[in-house]
Amino acid sequence: EIGPHRVEQPFPKPHQVEFDPSGRFVAVPDKGLDQVLVYEIDAAAGKLKAVGQPSQAREGAGPRHIAFHPSGQSAYVINELDSTVTAYRFDSETGQLEPFQRLSSLPDSFTGNSRASEIAVSPDGRFVYASNRGYDSIAIFSIDPENWQLTSAGWQNSEGRTPRFFAIDPNYQRLLVANEDTDTIVPFEIDRSDGSLRKSGDAVQVGSPVCIIFKPIS
């Protein structure tokens, strides 16, 4: 079984492995299958057990990365090929994902080509961030604490080309954007009141950055 995009979906493409907040499950967005699979971790046996049926994305969506809400009650998937975000309810007992909302990561005024890439939930659980490559930007969404639904809160220019990845620092003060095709990591200050971003400091020159990982605070 493969997806309908003949170039991007010729075979299964598990693009990420992400632990849920409890550490009991791992979610695997598969860009090639248009599915998000979940596995329960059997630590004693050192094995993974598939949970129920995979969550099927819209045909041709290309789910790429997933981010869990700190509460463990919802999760958000960035779909690379159609530049959308899908919101899921997450059952922390069974590991099942149930989609309930889908919205664009691009403004309706943008008519060019773009591919979505990274997604993250703010540590306080109030905002979702997602990156666009083409419409080089970070999309910002607010999260409704009652029902976990997203509302667009704007876009921030990534100050470079092809923001393949970004990461929020452990102190929740800055968001660092890795612009792959301009060889820069650009720091943005986070306004915790509304989730907005403001360029803060000079870009760091580094060859083709594609991932950022922070050392845990001891």
Side-chain angles (χ1 to χ4, degrees):
E1 182 182 2
I2 60 173
H5 197 296
R6 287 179 293 177
V7 175
E8 294 286 355
Q9 298 179 308
F11 41 72
K13 288 187 176 182
H15 215 286
Q16 182 201 33
V17 173
E18 183 73 8
F19 288 90
D20 82 300
S22 75
R24 286 184 56 204
F25 302 97
V26 292
V28 183
D30 194 305
K31 174 182 165 181
L33 297 180
D34 285 328
Q35 294 178 347
V36 182
L37 302 95
V38 179
Y39 298 90
E40 186 172 8
I41 302 168
D42 185 339
K47 295 181 179 181
L48 299 176
K49 177 184 177 182
V51 171
Q53 295 297 315
S55 182
Q56 190 69 44
R58 182 173 289 185
E59 185 178 275
R64 179 183 174 93
H65 283 185
I66 185 171
F68 284 92
H69 191 274
S71 69
Q73 298 185 60
S74 63
Y76 304 90
V77 171
I78 188 74
N79 299 303
E80 176 180 342
L81 301 181
D82 66 0
S83 296
T84 61
V85 175
T86 303
Y88 293 81
R89 292 183 180 86
F90 179 64
D91 188 325
S92 59
E93 293 299 319
T94 66
Q96 198 67 46
L97 287 167
E98 178 190 357
F100 67 90
Q101 185 190 21
R102 180 176 178 271
L103 66 171
S104 180
S105 65
L106 302 167
D108 58 15
S109 58
F110 179 75
T111 59
N113 292 315
S114 192
R115 295 284 177 89
S117 187
E118 173 62 343
I119 192 164
V121 179
S122 63
D124 61 4
R126 297 181 59 213
F127 303 100
V128 165
Y129 297 93
S131 65
N132 297 299
R133 300 171 293 174
Y135 182 69
D136 295 323
S137 62
I138 304 298
I140 306 164
F141 303 92
S142 61
I143 302 175
D144 188 321
E146 298 297 324
N147 57 21
W148 316 114
Q149 286 191 336
L150 300 181
T151 300
S152 175
W155 290 264
Q156 171 62 51
N157 187 295
S158 66
E159 303 288 340
R161 294 196 310 274
T162 319
R164 182 167 176 172
F165 197 85
F166 65 85
I168 299 171
D169 80 80
N171 294 316
Y172 188 23
Q173 295 179 338
R174 289 180 174 82
L175 184 147
L176 304 183
V177 179
N179 291 304
E180 181 180 11
D181 289 338
T182 41
D183 301 326
T184 55
I185 297 175
V186 181
F188 292 88
E189 184 178 343
I190 301 171
D191 186 331
R192 298 191 193 183
S193 66
D194 61 7
S196 62
L197 304 173
R198 181 178 62 85
K199 189 173 182 294
S200 174
D202 297 329
V204 176
Q205 299 292 323
V206 58
S208 190
V210 296
C211 189
I212 299 170
I213 297 177
F214 287 96
K215 179 181 178 181
I217 297 175
S218 57

